Structure formats: C-alpha cells, structure tokens
Amino acid sequence: MVVGAFPIAKLLYLGVRQMSKPVANRIKAGARRSEFFKSYICLPPAQIYHWVEMRTKMRIMGFRGSTIKPLNEDMAAELGAELLGEAIIFLIGTGCMVLEYSRQASNSRRKEEELTETITSLQTQLAELSLTTETMDARLREFNRQLVSFPTPNK
C-alpha cells in the first residue's frame, strides 16, 4: 500500500509562521530600545495610522474639520512597534502563501507536462499501429489477388 507523500512543505510553512511571532516580538522590543528605529521606522507610520483612524472616527461621528492632536512619543513608539510586528507577521504569512501557490502551480504544471507527454506517446503509438494496419491490409489484398489469379484445377 502506497502512502501519499508527507506534506513536509506545509509543516515547514506552519513552523515558519509560528516562528514569525517571536521574531516579530523581538523586533518590536528592539524598535522600542533603538532611538533611530523608533524615530524613523516606528513613529511616522504610527502617527499616520493615528491620524487616519481619528479622522475616520470624527467623520463617522459627524465632526468635520476638527484638528487631531498627534500621539505622544511613547504611545506612538508603542503603536508603531505593534504595527511593525503585525506587518512582519503579515509579510511572513503572505510569503508562505506565495510559496505554497508557486509549489502547487509547479506541481500542476509538472502533471500537465506528464499528461501531454503521455498523450503524445499514445498518438505516436496510434500512428505506428495505423501504419502497421495499413501495411497488413495491403499485404492481405496482395495475397488475395495472388490467390484469385491462380488457376483452379479442373476435375
């Protein structure tokens, strides 16, 4: 009994996705400690996210044209680190999906090539058999012609 191939690729992808959470947490902790990372990587996206979120909430509640105060640096750094962590997890998940899709596409392409090769082989065999059949038919007609041309003995 043949058992299907163990889905080692899927298990590997699952492992990578599970490992992405601690990696993202470690990057978030580093982002909180590093002044450069905090100032240039975490704060701008956090302030933009806060501005868009507050603007949307204000419009939903009917307040138009009110000014939105930016987050203080600590809250913005925390929000930016969270956004960075979520983005990393999302990118790793997306990468796993892209790899799985390309793996499935290559498997499908390989199966299609095998099927095309099999069909071509069968067509070649059919052509050969057709030629053999025509040759045998011609020989049979020749034998029948020769058989008919023999004189029949009279009694």
Side-chain angles (χ1 to χ4, degrees):
M1 180 159 120
V2 178
V3 178
F6 184 70
I8 193 76
K10 290 182 182 179
L11 186 62
L12 182 67
Y13 294 149
L14 182 62
V16 167
R17 288 183 60 190
Q18 289 298 322
M19 293 295 290
S20 69
K21 292 176 185 174
V23 169
N25 288 338
R26 189 161 234 153
I27 290 173
K28 286 191 306 191
R32 289 184 189 114
R33 285 189 303 253
S34 170
E35 199 58 42
F36 172 80
F37 213 68
K38 189 188 302 183
S39 298
Y40 295 106
I41 305 297
C42 291
L43 291 181
Q47 292 294 358
I48 291 170
Y49 177 80
H50 172 71
W51 183 81
V52 169
E53 179 186 32
M54 292 307 293
R55 187 86 161 173
T56 305
K57 285 181 181 178
M58 293 296 225
R59 285 194 177 169
I60 289 172
M61 292 189 309
F63 299 113
R64 303 223 187 258
S66 27
T67 59
I68 298 169
K69 293 181 182 177
L71 288 174
N72 65 27
E73 190 172 314
D74 292 334
M75 289 180 68
E78 185 69 28
L79 179 60
E82 288 296 320
L83 287 172
L84 180 65
E86 292 298 321
I88 289 170
I89 291 171
F90 178 76
L91 288 174
I92 290 174
T94 302
C96 287
M97 284 189 341
V98 166
L99 287 174
E100 180 65 21
Y101 176 77
S102 66
R103 187 180 73 81
Q104 290 291 335
S106 69
N107 284 346
S108 176
R109 189 171 37 254
R110 182 182 48 79
K111 286 180 182 178
E112 189 174 321
E113 287 172 357
E114 287 175 0
L115 183 63
T116 303
E117 184 178 310
T118 302
I119 289 173
T120 304
S121 172
L122 288 173
Q123 286 175 341
T124 304
Q125 288 177 356
L126 182 63
E128 289 173 359
L129 288 174
S130 176
L131 183 62
T132 304
T133 304
E134 288 177 14
T135 305
M136 292 294 189
D137 189 40
R139 290 169 111 186
L140 184 61
R141 276 187 270 133
E142 179 65 25
F143 286 141
N144 280 339
R145 189 183 60 76
Q146 287 178 356
L147 188 63
V148 168
S149 68
F150 281 126
T152 55
N154 289 338
K155 290 188 180 180

